[in-house]
Amino acid sequence: LHDLHAHETLLAVTLPLAASALLLASGVAAFVMARARRIDSHLWYFGALASGCALIGASPWWLDLPLPNEAREMLLASLPPLVALPAVQFLLHFAGWRSRPIEVALYAQCAAVPASLLLGGPQRVHAIASGCNTLLVLQVLAAMGFYLWSTRRARRRDFRTMAVLLALVAAVLVVALALPQPSLPTPWRHLPALALPLVLVAMWLHLLQQHGRALGTAEDARLTLETHIRQTAADMEKNY
């Protein structure tokens, strides 16, 4: 019985908290990189996405908060729209798209979900949160599909990697929606809390690699331009 409890604690608490801490570090690094290279607006949203997912993944620590259980549950149920917003915006900006109506709707959604939870009362938190989470997952899945559709030709080099990573995220989200089903075995119940942070960390490493290639390309272009300028100046001196 003791070994079973230790195994359950490892899957339900220790590993998810470690993965969330790693994801939070990735989010902070994304913020730092976005500040240094403001042209990459998608990094801001990825940092917010990573930080939000890390907070949700660290929910076992929320038990130590000096709050009533009902308030804690309502607070946790209010976080998903704050994560869906940067998730959708990250995918749109990374694909090179901007949409003011979508942005406004996402921000309005962040206010509408907590308001619905407050109006519904503690007895309906689970039902309202389940419906909202289903809608949020569908939004993120639609944004994933749009990203893949819009970049399938322009970014052939990175398309396959992003397609695999997004497919993994989609699978984790579908499993998370199915968690209330009692037929799911115990390991599957702990899968989203562990797998999602790890997949997002892998996505961050891919973004980091892509960022390094972009810097290398920019440096090569600068050196080529300097060489061209020196050559042009030398030719002009010879002509005169």
Side-chain angles (χ1 to χ4, degrees):
L1 185 61
H2 179 270
D3 292 341
L4 181 62
H5 176 71
H7 183 262
E8 184 75 14
T9 302
L10 180 67
L11 290 177
V13 180
T14 306
L15 291 179
L17 286 178
S20 295
L22 185 60
L23 180 59
L24 181 61
S26 301
V28 172
F31 283 134
V32 173
M33 188 176 295
R35 183 178 177 84
R37 185 179 167 84
R38 297 187 178 183
I39 191 174
D40 293 332
S41 61
H42 63 280
L43 292 177
W44 288 107
Y45 290 109
F46 184 84
L49 168 63
S51 301
C53 287
L55 285 176
I56 294 178
S59 57
W61 283 346
W62 290 46
L63 297 176
D64 297 329
L65 293 177
L67 294 173
N69 288 335
E70 294 177 354
R72 192 184 300 115
E73 290 179 0
M74 191 167 295
L75 182 60
L76 186 61
S78 300
L79 282 181
L82 297 177
V83 175
L85 187 154
V88 173
Q89 288 290 78
F90 162 69
L91 291 166
L92 291 180
H93 281 240
F94 197 27
W97 286 76
R98 306 288 190 276
S99 175
R100 184 63 177 174
I102 291 179
E103 182 178 2
V104 171
L106 289 171
Y107 278 107
Q109 186 172 251
C110 292
V113 171
S116 300
L117 293 170
L118 287 173
L119 291 174
Q123 292 76 19
R124 301 188 61 191
V125 167
H126 179 72
I128 295 174
S130 297
C132 291
N133 289 343
T134 300
L135 178 62
L136 295 173
V137 167
L138 291 176
Q139 292 174 6
V140 174
L141 293 177
M144 289 180 185
F146 176 81
Y147 170 83
L148 294 175
W149 174 80
S150 61
T151 61
R152 68 191 186 284
R153 294 180 180 176
R155 301 181 186 176
R156 293 183 181 273
R157 184 174 184 177
D158 298 307
F159 178 80
R160 185 173 298 177
T161 301
M162 283 299 297
V164 171
L165 291 173
L166 291 178
L168 290 174
V169 172
V172 171
L173 293 178
V174 170
V175 171
L177 285 181
L179 280 180
Q181 301 297 327
S183 59
L184 281 178
T186 299
W188 286 94
R189 294 180 180 275
H190 303 312
L191 177 64
L194 177 61
L196 184 58
L198 294 179
V199 175
L200 290 178
V201 169
M203 188 176 295
W204 163 243
L205 294 177
H206 174 67
L207 293 175
L208 195 60
Q209 181 186 43
Q210 187 183 59
H211 182 74
R213 288 203 309 265
L215 290 180
T217 301
E219 181 65 15
D220 291 342
R222 184 184 67 82
L223 294 176
T224 301
L225 180 60
E226 290 180 355
T227 301
H228 178 71
I229 292 174
R230 286 196 298 269
Q231 184 63 41
T232 302
D235 292 341
M236 292 178 64
E237 289 178 358
K238 288 179 181 180
N239 292 334
Y240 287 100

